[in-house]
Amino acid sequence: MSSIKASVFFDTKFQPDMTRFLDTEVITKPDKETLRTIVYKRAEEVYPNFHSSLFTNIRPEAIKRNSLLPNVRLWMTLKHLAHYPVLVKNMFLLKNDEKRGKYTVYLNRRGVKVEVEVDTQLPFLKAYEGLIPAFTQVEGDDIWPLLVEKAISKLDGNFDFFFSKRAIIETRISWSSMSS
């Protein structure tokens, strides 16, 4: 194993497993079939230039909603947040661990600013054009919304909120607190 591979960050505290959703009543049968095709890949494998372009394309129209994302609130929140690129950048604490696949994202949980460390192992769907993000779609290599999704999932303990009506009621992205 090379020293580069050995230094890659793996978040041992949050190893999501999408198969647990296959028994829930919230998901339709076609969506369950789609969930079975989810694969986890490191963002570096799918977006080779994303480290250098993490914040180059912050704009609302670059964020698309996948049909597997019934939680419209999350998508709308990310889209709204993209109107404020400085606030998006302030959500990330860059510690020079990014090349190892480790990002720190600031979120607001019940009024308290929380640091959430995530790796770049993300859920993707197999599609005709290759791999696409399982939930929020992005244009180009600008994957900050996917890292925010993962941070919220980790803070919540799982990916349940993607399929829940409670959405971001308990875990909120609060851009007003990120600007401080």
Side-chain angles (χ1 to χ4, degrees):
M1 178 182 280
S2 73
S3 62
I4 292 173
K5 283 277 188 195
S7 67
V8 171
F9 173 69
F10 287 97
D11 187 354
T12 57
K13 296 178 183 171
F14 184 65
Q15 294 297 313
D17 178 11
M18 297 306 291
T19 59
R20 63 191 295 280
F21 296 113
L22 298 177
D23 294 328
T24 184
E25 295 174 14
V26 177
I27 301 173
T28 65
K29 188 172 182 176
D31 284 347
K32 286 182 183 183
E33 293 304 315
T34 303
L35 278 173
R36 283 181 172 64
T37 69
I38 285 182
V39 294
Y40 283 89
K41 294 283 184 183
R42 295 200 72 89
E44 299 85 339
E45 296 174 50
V46 181
Y47 305 102
N49 299 318
F50 95 88
H51 287 301
S52 60
S53 65
L54 183 63
F55 303 121
T56 58
N57 192 24
I58 302 173
R59 51 192 185 85
E61 53 277 358
I63 301 170
K64 310 288 183 200
R65 182 175 165 248
N66 184 326
S67 63
L68 247 187
L69 185 63
N71 185 335
V72 177
R73 288 182 184 162
L74 173 63
W75 171 71
M76 288 173 48
T77 300
L78 292 169
K79 241 176 141 48
H80 183 74
L81 183 59
H83 285 280
Y84 307 96
V86 171
L87 297 178
V88 170
K89 291 175 185 178
N90 286 343
M91 288 181 70
F92 289 84
L93 175 62
L94 302 179
K95 301 179 178 179
N96 294 323
D97 283 334
E98 298 77 38
K99 295 289 184 194
R100 293 182 47 229
K102 181 179 182 180
Y103 285 84
T104 302
V105 181
Y106 287 121
L107 296 175
N108 183 322
R109 178 154 220 175
R110 297 184 187 110
V112 178
K113 193 172 185 177
V114 180
E115 282 186 19
V116 183
E117 289 183 342
V118 294
D119 62 21
T120 56
Q121 192 171 342
L122 303 168
F124 290 93
L125 296 171
K126 295 177 184 174
Y128 296 113
E129 58 274 2
L131 295 174
I132 60 171
F135 302 107
T136 300
Q137 305 281 312
V138 293
E139 288 180 6
D141 292 347
D142 207 28
I143 67 156
W144 66 266
L146 309 181
L147 296 173
V148 171
E149 278 181 352
K150 181 152 187 184
I152 293 170
S153 301
K154 182 178 179 180
L155 193 58
D156 227 24
N158 53 50
F159 280 89
D160 282 349
F161 77 95
F162 287 119
F163 305 102
S164 171
K165 291 180 181 175
R166 70 183 172 83
I168 315 173
I169 291 171
E170 290 185 26
T171 304
R172 296 177 187 219
I173 301 172
S174 174
W175 40 87
S176 60
S177 68
M178 299 307 144
S179 60
S180 56

